[in-house]
Every structure is written in structure tokens, then in C-alpha cells.
Amino acid sequence: MKNLKLIIGLAIFASFISCNDKRKPQLEYMPDMYVSIPYDTDDAEGLNGEPVNSKPVAGTIPRGGHPSYDIPNTAEGYEKAKAEVTNPIEATEENLSNGKAMYEIYCISCHGKKGDGNGYLSQAEKFEGIPSYKDRDINAGSIYHVIIHGKNLMGSHSSQLTYNERWQVIHYVEQLRSDLLK
């Protein structure tokens, strides 16, 4: 009974203390729950002196990921890609079919159905000088480089196409080019 009276008395006392002058800040029990301390996790200090989001080890690939493309967007980089980069996926019917579907979404408006550079935007004179695939000395590496970085008026399409879709489009572009060269 004595403890109950003490607890009730403390509760009443605490409620009176908390209800006094509203103009000045009162005591906070756990201030970090209301006003968090901002941490720059990528700073050299990070949390507890350790950076949180440190860069992965060079040459590693994230789980479920694909190799990074680190060839620079330069004329030398274009030539390096042309010489070294090859298509890692097979030219199966399924890959060609999906490559054609992606080509029709992203490429046909400029490059045309046949890859002759006579797409709608070229016909409407929005963009001029879109090259035909048969007029260019291109291969899988150079096409991939252009999809990633863009070239001249063509911007990068790396954010629109997934890793596999890029290579599927490249298979389809190579098929269009061989049809034009016949």
C-alpha cells in the first residue's frame, strides 16, 4: 500500500512538472528518437570511424550482377571495345526475338526497320545523317560501347536496356547488318 501511494504521488508530481512553462524546452527522455543525429555513412569517418559503404574489391561482381563496363567514352575506348569486347550470349531464336522486340521499342524510330538509318525521325527530318549499318565497320564490341556511352546525336541507352537485352539487341543489329550487306 505504501508503494502504491508512492507511485501515484510520483506520477502526479511528474505530470505537474511536465505541464509547467510551455515556452522553454523540457527534459526529453530519449532525444535521439525525436531528433536523430545525421551521419554521413560514406564519409571517411562513417559510423564508429569505419566507412559503411566502402567500394567493392576491384574485379569483383555483385551477386546476380554482371561485369562492369569500364572502357572510357573516348575514341580510343571505342577502338578498344571494338577489338576486345565480344557477345557473351548465344544468338538463339529466343535471344534474336527479344532483341528484335527491344530494337522495335528503342532503335527503330531512328535506325529504321532494316537498319538503313531511315526511321521515322529521319523521315520527319528531326535527325539527319543517321548512318546505315552497312556503311559502318561495326561489330558487337563497338555496338555495345555505343549503347553504353552513346555516340554523336545518339545518347546512352544503358539505363533503358538490361545487360542481356543489350546483347540481344546487338545480335539483332548484326543480323540486320548482314541482311543489308547481301
Side-chain angles (χ1 to χ4, degrees), residues 13-165:
F13 178 71
S15 66
F16 280 124
I17 290 176
S18 65
C19 293
N20 63 4
D21 188 6
K22 297 286 185 188
R23 294 175 193 238
K24 84 176 189 194
Q26 301 300 311
L27 179 67
E28 289 182 54
Y29 175 62
M30 294 183 79
D32 286 348
M33 290 184 69
Y34 302 106
V35 181
S36 63
I37 300 169
Y39 293 104
D40 186 2
T41 56
D42 293 325
D43 192 18
E45 310 264 324
L47 295 173
N48 303 323
E50 294 290 323
V52 175
N53 295 330
S54 57
K55 294 193 182 212
V57 177
T60 59
I61 300 171
R63 183 178 298 170
H66 303 285
S68 64
Y69 186 77
D70 56 356
I71 297 177
N73 185 17
T74 61
E76 295 80 20
Y78 178 83
E79 293 302 323
K80 180 178 180 179
K82 192 173 180 181
E84 297 176 9
V85 177
T86 58
N87 198 330
I89 65 172
E90 280 185 54
T92 63
E93 284 300 317
E94 181 182 349
N95 285 335
L96 282 169
S97 170
N98 194 46
K100 179 181 181 184
M102 293 297 112
Y103 181 88
E104 289 175 352
I105 293 171
Y106 298 107
C107 312
I108 202 168
S109 59
C110 292
H111 294 283
K113 276 187 178 178
K114 299 176 185 176
D116 56 3
N118 197 21
Y120 170 74
L121 294 176
S122 177
Q123 292 172 4
E125 297 180 357
K126 299 294 181 186
F127 296 113
E128 293 182 8
I130 299 169
S132 172
Y133 294 139
K134 73 175 183 177
D135 298 336
R136 294 282 170 119
D137 181 26
I138 56 175
N139 65 11
S142 63
I143 299 168
Y144 192 80
H145 188 80
V146 171
I147 289 174
I148 293 292
H149 293 297
K151 187 169 185 170
N152 300 331
L153 288 175
M154 180 180 159
S156 170
H157 282 66
S158 63
S159 63
Q160 288 92 352
L161 298 166
T162 65
Y163 178 78
N164 284 337
E165 288 172 344

